[in-house]
Amino acid sequence: MSEVKRLFVLLGIDRRLVLRDSLLRWMVVFPLALFLVLVWGLPMLAGLLAEVYQVELGDYEPLIAVMVLGILPGSYGFVLGFLLLEERDQHTREALSVTPLHPATYLLGRLGYTVLLSTLVGALLVRWLGLAGLSWTQLLACSLAAALFGPLMALALAAWAQDKVQGFALYKALSGVQMPLVLAYFVDPPLQLAFGILPNFWAAKMLWTLADAQASGATPTTAWLYFAISLLIQTTLILWLSRRWARRP
C-alpha cells in the first residue's frame, strides 16, 4: 500500500472519530450554519443600520470578509487539535509510530487537509455572500493565508493544553485574536502595522489592500508582499509548534 493510500485510510479514521463526537460534529458543520445566518441576517442588518443609523453596511464588506475567513480555520483547527489531544490521552500516538506511515507524514496530511478545507470553504462563502468583490485568484490567496491559522490553532492546543478542558479554554483565548482585527480596520497606516504582531493580521491586511485597490482601480502590488509575510510568519510558527508537540510525552 502506498503512502498516499495509508494516509487516506488514517484520515478516514479521523472522520469516524469526528462523527461520533457531538461537539466536533458541530464544529465541522458550523460554516454551513454561519453561511445561513449571514445569508438571512446581513440584508436585514444592512437595512436596519441604513434606516436607523444611516450606516451603509456595504462600506464594511472587507471587514466582514476577514471575519468570515478567520472563523473557519479556528473551527477546523479546534477539531484537529482535539483529535491530537485525544490521541495523547489514549496513547494512540505510540501505536501510530509503529505503522508503515511515518507520524510526520500523517500530521502533515492532517494539517494540509485542514488548510485545504478552510481555504475552499472560506473562499466559497465570501464569494457567495458577495463580499469584497475580489477575483477568484485573489480570494483564494486571501483564504489560503487566513487558513494557515487552522494548523496554528490545532498545534497550539496539542502542544500547550494538558487535557480537553484546558484545550477548550485555550481555544476560546486564541479565538480572541480575531477581535483586534476589528480595531485594526479603523486604524490608518502606518499605525495599523502595529497589529502585525498577530499572525492573522497579514492575511487581513492583504484582503483590505486588494479591496481598496479594486475600489480605486489601483494596482495592488503591496498585497502580495503581505501574502508572503503571512505565509512566512505562520509557517514558521507551525514548524515551531509541531516540534514542540512532537517532544511532548
Side-chain angles (χ1 to χ4, degrees):
M1 184 181 294
S2 68
E3 289 278 297
V4 175
K5 289 183 178 179
R6 294 190 184 102
L7 177 59
F8 275 102
V9 168
L10 292 175
L11 290 177
I13 296 174
D14 282 351
R15 178 180 58 83
R16 289 193 291 271
L17 291 173
V18 170
L19 291 177
R20 76 182 189 187
D21 187 298
S22 59
L23 176 59
L24 298 185
R25 285 201 308 270
W26 162 246
M27 296 300 286
V28 170
V29 302
F30 173 73
L32 176 59
L34 173 67
F35 172 72
L36 294 176
V37 169
L38 291 176
V39 165
W40 293 331
L42 278 180
M44 295 174 57
L45 180 61
L48 178 64
L49 290 175
E51 180 179 352
V52 178
Y53 299 104
Q54 289 74 52
V55 173
E56 291 295 332
L57 190 61
D59 296 338
Y60 304 99
E61 284 184 357
L63 176 59
I64 299 172
V66 164
M67 293 295 105
V68 172
L69 292 181
I71 289 173
L72 300 176
S75 299
Y76 296 142
F78 172 87
V79 172
L80 178 54
F82 263 52
L83 290 177
L84 294 174
L85 283 173
E86 185 172 359
E87 282 179 7
R88 193 184 69 215
D89 293 343
Q90 297 184 358
H91 305 288
T92 53
R93 281 177 61 182
E94 290 80 357
L96 289 172
S97 65
V98 298
T99 61
L101 185 67
H102 195 279
T105 303
Y106 185 29
L107 178 63
L108 182 62
R110 294 164 118 180
L111 297 177
Y113 183 76
T114 302
V115 171
L116 179 63
L117 190 60
S118 298
T119 300
L120 295 178
V121 175
L124 287 171
L125 286 182
V126 172
R127 185 73 169 191
W128 202 323
L129 293 167
L131 301 172
L134 305 182
S135 69
W136 271 113
T137 301
Q138 294 172 336
L139 185 53
L140 284 170
C142 290
S143 189
L144 172 60
L148 289 175
F149 189 73
L152 280 179
M153 173 72 77
L155 290 169
L157 297 182
W160 291 332
Q162 297 297 325
D163 50 41
K164 290 184 177 180
V165 175
Q166 285 190 10
F168 191 72
L170 183 58
Y171 163 73
K172 291 192 291 185
L174 292 175
S175 298
V177 300
Q178 282 292 107
M179 300 314 298
L181 297 182
V182 178
L183 177 60
Y185 183 75
F186 297 98
V187 176
D188 294 328
L191 291 178
Q192 190 184 60
L193 297 180
F195 291 88
I197 60 173
L198 301 173
N200 55 340
F201 166 78
W202 298 101
K205 181 64 175 174
M206 176 190 180
L207 190 148
W208 296 338
T209 302
L210 289 170
D212 288 343
Q214 182 79 11
S216 63
T219 303
T221 53
T222 58
W224 300 104
L225 172 62
Y226 300 142
F227 178 72
I229 294 173
S230 178
L231 264 59
L232 177 62
I233 291 176
Q234 294 187 96
T235 302
T236 301
L237 290 173
I238 288 169
L239 291 173
W240 174 65
L241 285 169
S242 63
R243 293 193 184 99
R244 186 178 179 90
W245 170 78
R247 291 195 299 265
R248 290 203 61 173

